[in-house]
Amino acid sequence: MSPKVTYDASEEVVVTEGHPREAEMPRGEAPVDGLGCHSGSEMEKAARMAGNSEMLDKFAADYPQGPHDKPQSMCPAFGSLRVGLRMRRTATVLSGSACCVYGLTFVSHFYGARRSVGYVPFNSETLVTGKLFEDIRESVHDLADPDKYDAIVVTNLCVPTASGVPLRLLPSEINGVRIVGIDVPGFGIPTHAEAKDVLAGAMLNYARAEVEAGPVAAPVGGKSDRPTVALLGEMFPADPMMIGQMLAPLGLAAGPVVPCREWRELYAALDSAVVAAVHPFYTAAVREFEAAGRPIVGSAPVGRDGTASWLKAIGEAHGCSAEQIAEAQNAMLPAIAGALAAMPIKGTITLSGYEGSELLVARLLIESGAEVPYVGTACPRTPWNAEDQAWLEAKGVKVKFRASLEDDCAAMEAVTPDLAIGTTPVVQKAKELGVPGLYFTNLISARPLMGPAGAGSLAQVINAAIANKGRMDHMWEFFEGVGEGDTAGVWEGDPNVRPDFRAQNAKKLERQAKAAKAAEMI
């Protein structure tokens, strides 16, 4: 009689064994779904084998990686998705893993999207056989209604990109509706901010080809009677109006904000006399403007110093006289200096984020009187933020490009500031240490920054947060030790720690480490 008791035939099932992670994937085989942007080099390796090496090399040149090889912000594709959802008469279709699409659509509607997001699902069979591409093409044909849309944006997420789903083979136009296909893999694009540039650059490229082919439609609001300055980067709605007032003495007007809100604005942006790279990471968009022969000016009119140098750079790029530049500066600088003096900020602040405007905000804080020893940005160093970097470093600020979460937290812990401004995990860490914190994206970048309006916009929220230090200390003392170590989780009583078990396991781990060390020496 066999001592083994069985209840079914499950042990007789043939199990397919996987391959080691470092083994190469045969051509045409689909990558394992679920790895996504956090899979390190495996997805990139699969994408190159699927014929996407040129695209990934271009991403590597446009968006150089930092010390970490995976995004530390939300999924990068959220950036391009957000750009498409904000454009009028534009449909958006995603191709990717269902879990990714769910997360992206959830967060897009959380941030106020008021339209549907298209989705083309797949399984291993449709992915490997090429049926997924046929499904995407069919869905685009079904959507292409010129009465509803000017353009349809189709986005490959990680798995379709790694599998080589060729969106470039989609027709460029169907029934008069433009088809724009982009790949936004998390293993190729470091931040969601830079994914905005992927779509903005693709749309500008399409629009530039239309302009070169013949006459195009004028913007709905008509063409400006003065040369315009295109503004590169999403910004607070009041900022373009303030910039328009600054530019008037130069004989210029504020042009469209790129990413644009409708297709016709792309033509007007390309027709601008000068392009202001307010957010400095739009590498692909800048490439299209340069191809159109437009000069690019970095930094932005923030604070007194920033406004003076920016107006001078814009005026010189457009060929304005020294008298015009001086007139524009004299019209704005006294008001900005007065606003800064009227709303001072006192305290030490560490600043970090992934929006791309971190250096601009730091300049404004310093001119308001704050001490800012550290600025971290997840975005890269570019020619268009070099002036901001130089200005900050001359003030003794440590500027860290492609800063990781670890960099930002380490700086905050070392400085122990009066206020930490940063991403959600940085703010969480600060509050654990009893340091007041403000979330950069929702509380800082969503405010006017330019001109006199920007000079006083941050002081109220910053000073209020610093003044809360006493309440923060009281809360920290009250909650000290809660949720840490053995008290993590939910307990009705004290946990039974059992230090004898811990000591026993520690000895086992020590023996394993010694055995591994000995094996290395053989």
Side-chain angles (χ1 to χ4, degrees):
M1 180 177 177
S2 171
K4 186 175 181 180
V5 179
T6 60
Y7 299 95
D8 54 35
S10 60
E11 67 172 4
E12 299 174 7
V13 174
V14 178
V15 178
T16 302
E17 296 184 1
H19 55 73
R21 286 180 59 86
E22 62 271 13
E24 290 196 356
M25 188 175 297
R27 179 175 294 274
E29 184 175 328
V32 180
D33 193 6
L35 291 178
C37 56
H38 286 207
S39 62
S41 62
E42 292 302 306
M43 294 288 274
E44 180 180 353
K45 185 189 300 182
R48 291 186 180 279
M49 294 177 65
N52 279 331
S53 292
E54 183 179 350
M55 179 191 70
L56 290 176
D57 290 341
K58 185 178 178 183
F59 283 157
D62 287 350
Y63 318 113
Q65 296 282 347
H68 44 87
D69 63 351
K70 59 187 180 183
Q72 288 193 320
S73 70
M74 65 181 74
C75 170
F78 173 63
S80 57
L81 176 62
R82 182 167 168 167
V83 167
L85 289 175
R86 286 183 167 186
M87 289 188 69
R88 303 180 187 93
R89 292 178 52 82
T90 300
T92 299
V93 177
L94 295 178
S95 170
S97 301
C99 55
C100 300
V101 173
Y102 170 78
L104 287 166
T105 53
F106 175 87
V107 76
S108 66
H109 287 95
F110 179 83
Y111 276 91
R114 296 186 177 182
R115 68 182 75 167
S116 298
V117 178
Y119 171 45
V120 181
F122 67 87
N123 56 33
S124 296
E125 180 181 351
T126 61
L127 189 66
V128 172
T129 61
K131 180 65 164 57
L132 173 58
F133 175 76
E134 301 301 326
D135 292 341
I136 292 172
R137 183 164 57 183
E138 181 181 353
S139 70
V140 170
H141 275 275
D142 291 343
L143 268 177
D145 183 350
D147 293 332
K148 294 181 179 179
Y149 303 118
D150 292 329
I152 297 173
V153 178
V154 186
T155 303
N156 266 348
L157 304 180
C158 288
V159 172
T161 296
S163 300
V165 176
L167 296 183
R168 60 188 176 277
L169 297 183
L170 290 173
S172 61
E173 175 267 331
I174 301 173
N175 299 329
V177 179
R178 303 163 185 86
I179 309 301
V180 181
I182 58 173
D183 290 81
V184 191
F187 54 85
I189 300 176
T191 67
H192 79 278
E194 288 159 299
K196 297 175 185 177
D197 178 49
V198 174
L199 181 53
M203 287 186 164
L204 284 168
N205 178 270
Y206 197 121
R208 187 166 62 83
E210 291 181 305
V211 171
E212 292 173 351
V216 293
V220 174
K223 188 175 180 180
S224 173
D225 58 351
R226 289 176 289 170
T228 59
V229 176
L231 306 175
L232 195 51
E234 293 180 310
M235 59 190 73
F236 190 77
D239 280 337
M241 293 186 289
M242 179 58 64
I243 290 175
Q245 295 178 26
M246 296 183 192
L247 294 172
L250 298 174
L252 296 168
V257 176
V258 180
C260 298
R261 292 302 181 97
E262 62 180 35
W263 192 270
R264 291 183 180 189
E265 290 181 354
L266 293 166
Y267 307 139
L270 289 165
D271 191 44
S272 295
V274 183
V275 177
V278 176
H279 286 191
F281 55 82
Y282 282 86
T283 305
V286 165
R287 184 164 51 242
E288 297 302 324
F289 281 117
E290 289 178 335
R294 307 301 178 223
I296 314 297
V297 173
S299 192
V302 292
R304 187 190 183 285
D305 290 359
T307 301
S309 60
W310 186 82
L311 286 173
K312 182 175 184 291
I314 291 288
E316 291 176 347
H318 186 57
C320 297
S321 66
E323 290 76 15
Q324 285 178 299
I325 294 173
E327 181 184 354
Q329 291 172 332
N330 292 335
M332 279 293 160
L333 299 187
I336 294 174
L340 291 169
M343 299 288 285
I345 297 175
K346 301 298 181 184
T348 301
I349 301 172
T350 57
L351 174 66
S352 57
Y354 45 54
E355 299 295 334
S357 58
E358 291 78 23
L359 275 64
L360 300 177
V361 173
R363 291 188 64 157
L364 191 53
L365 291 176
I366 290 172
E367 288 206 42
S368 298
E371 181 181 350
V372 184
Y374 172 83
V375 177
T377 175
C379 294
R381 177 189 290 107
T382 70
W384 310 291
N385 56 25
E387 181 183 337
D388 299 323
Q389 178 189 4
W391 189 93
L392 290 169
E393 289 180 343
K395 303 289 183 182
V397 181
K398 170 64 177 177
V399 179
K400 179 71 175 180
F401 293 102
R402 283 286 186 240
S404 65
L405 172 61
E406 294 78 11
D407 292 327
D408 296 338
C409 287
M412 184 267 299
E413 292 180 78
V415 173
T416 58
D418 299 307
L419 176 67
I421 299 173
T423 57
T424 304
V426 173
V427 171
Q428 176 185 346
K429 183 66 175 178
K431 292 181 177 179
E432 288 177 359
L433 300 174
V435 175
L438 290 176
Y439 179 36
F440 184 91
T441 300
N442 286 3
L443 297 175
I444 302 300
S445 68
R447 294 177 180 273
L449 298 177
M450 316 299 172
S457 66
L458 298 179
Q460 186 175 3
V461 66
I462 296 290
N463 288 331
I466 292 176
N468 274 334
K469 182 65 169 71
R471 295 173 60 190
M472 184 66 65
D473 289 340
H474 177 70
M475 292 174 62
W476 187 84
E477 292 172 3
F478 182 82
F479 288 105
E480 182 181 6
V482 175
E484 296 179 355
D486 294 327
T487 62
V490 180
W491 297 90
E492 293 184 1
D494 294 333
N496 185 12
V497 177
R498 295 303 299 265
D500 52 330
F501 286 173
R502 289 183 174 175
Q504 183 178 357
N505 289 330
K507 290 180 180 178
K508 289 181 180 179
L509 293 173
E510 185 179 353
R511 286 196 296 269
Q512 287 180 359
K514 288 181 178 179
K517 188 69 174 177
E520 291 177 2
M521 298 173 65
I522 297 176

